[in-house]
Amino acid sequence: MKSLSFINSFIQVFGQRYCATNPSSSLANVDTIFILAFAIIMLNTDLHSRNIKPEKKMRLEQFIKNLRGKKIDSLKEEICNLIERCL
């Protein structure tokens, strides 16, 4: 649980700093940044964990579905393009 607390704190500070340095960004909301950053960490963990069978790994569609209604619907296409470049 200690590592989760650290990750939570780290993402909160990251979100605050991102919003402070990018006030005109369409993502300039601490909660939105927190949700997106945490979701990316979870996606990375899921994709690279040896404990998850390949057929059970999260797909891009599932990742986007998890973010639905989280103030980033307008960025769905950008997020998909970015993730596809990284895979």
Side-chain angles (χ1 to χ4, degrees), residues 44-85:
N44 185 64
T45 301
D46 185 273
L47 291 176
H48 298 287
S49 174
R50 293 182 181 143
N51 298 328
I52 300 174
K53 295 178 184 179
E55 63 272 8
K56 296 285 187 181
K57 292 192 182 285
M58 190 181 310
R59 304 277 184 249
L60 180 59
E61 302 79 31
Q62 294 166 313
F63 176 74
I64 295 298
K65 183 180 176 184
N66 289 342
L67 295 174
R68 204 174 37 206
K70 307 286 196 256
K71 302 179 183 180
I72 62 166
D73 285 342
S74 62
L75 301 170
K76 181 178 175 180
E77 188 174 327
E78 281 183 67
I79 293 168
C80 288
N81 291 337
L82 178 63
I83 292 172
E84 286 175 345
R85 286 194 320 234

